[in-house]
């Protein structure tokens, strides 16, 4: 995960449509994370999670979108040293209503994702989509320290 993600589309992507608002990874951070927050709200343990969109670098090479986190390599491992949780949920999102093909301005990402228990690699039906124009692609993974 910390080495980055590559998303392969079936058409070349319009470069103007790829940015941090259309392609991002959200971490579900434990809350309250700090002792000050625990004291302020009168709780002594994790009671929920809050989303944190990771700062990242994006690159596009034709039909391949590359996402790379722009954070310290040991970011996830440092959270583990707090001994609050044993894993963290990360969610990759591609906004299908905004990402479009470069040579076909009316063709938008059809990213609707459906689970497939037969797919042992990702657990997703591929290719994604439901045949309608637009649709966000979302994929969830669990991050574990040292993984």
């Amino acid at each position: 995960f910390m080495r980055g993600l590559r998303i392969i589309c079936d058409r070349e992507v319009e470069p103007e449509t790829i940015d941090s608002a259309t392609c991002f990874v959200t971490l579900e951070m434990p809350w309250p994370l700090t002792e000050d927050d625990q004291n302020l709200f009168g709780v002594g343990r994790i009671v929920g999670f809050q989303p944190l969109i990771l700062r990242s670098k994006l690159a596009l090479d034709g039909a391949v979108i590359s996402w790379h986190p722009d954070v310290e390599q040991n970011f996830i491992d440092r959270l583990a040293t707090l001994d609050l949780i044993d894993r963290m949920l990360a969610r990759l999102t591609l906004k299908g209503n905004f990402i479009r093909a470069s040579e076909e301005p009316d063709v938008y990402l059809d990213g609707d994702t459906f689970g497939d228990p037969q797919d042992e690699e990702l657990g997703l039906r591929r290719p994604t989509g439901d045949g309608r124009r637009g649709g966000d692609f979302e994929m969830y993974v669990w991050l574990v320290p040292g993984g």
Side-chain angles (χ1 to χ4, degrees), residues 74-105:
N74 63 353
F75 177 73
I76 303 301
D77 290 333
R78 296 238 6 226
L79 284 172
T81 64
L82 299 175
D83 201 28
L84 299 173
I85 55 174
D86 60 346
R87 61 185 184 168
M88 182 177 305
L89 187 64
R91 180 176 57 247
L92 167 67
T93 303
L94 298 171
K95 302 303 280 182
N97 292 341
F98 297 94
I99 298 172
R100 66 177 189 275
S102 61
E103 298 297 321
E104 303 167 80

Side-chain angles (χ1 to χ4, degrees), residues 45-94:
R45 61 183 178 86
I46 300 301
V47 297
F49 299 86
Q50 61 185 14
L52 171 70
I53 296 175
L54 282 180
R55 188 177 68 208
S56 63
K57 295 178 183 177
L58 292 163
L60 179 64
D61 184 11
V64 179
I65 302 167
S66 297
W67 175 93
H68 296 280
D70 192 17
V71 296
E72 296 295 323
Q73 286 292 331
N74 63 353
F75 177 73
I76 303 301
D77 290 333
R78 296 238 6 226
L79 284 172
T81 64
L82 299 175
D83 201 28
L84 299 173
I85 55 174
D86 60 346
R87 61 185 184 168
M88 182 177 305
L89 187 64
R91 180 176 57 247
L92 167 67
T93 303
L94 298 171

Side-chain angles (χ1 to χ4, degrees), residues 9 12-24 58 60 65 93-102 104-112 132-137:
C9 301
E12 289 196 13
V13 177
E14 175 61 44
E16 295 175 356
T17 65
I18 299 298
D19 60 33
S20 60
T22 62
C23 179
F24 53 91
L58 292 163
L60 179 64
I65 302 167
T93 303
L94 298 171
K95 302 303 280 182
N97 292 341
F98 297 94
I99 298 172
R100 66 177 189 275
S102 61
E104 303 167 80
D106 288 337
V107 175
Y108 287 80
L109 175 72
D110 184 4
D112 288 311
R132 297 185 310 185
R133 186 167 96 163
D136 294 349
F137 175 81

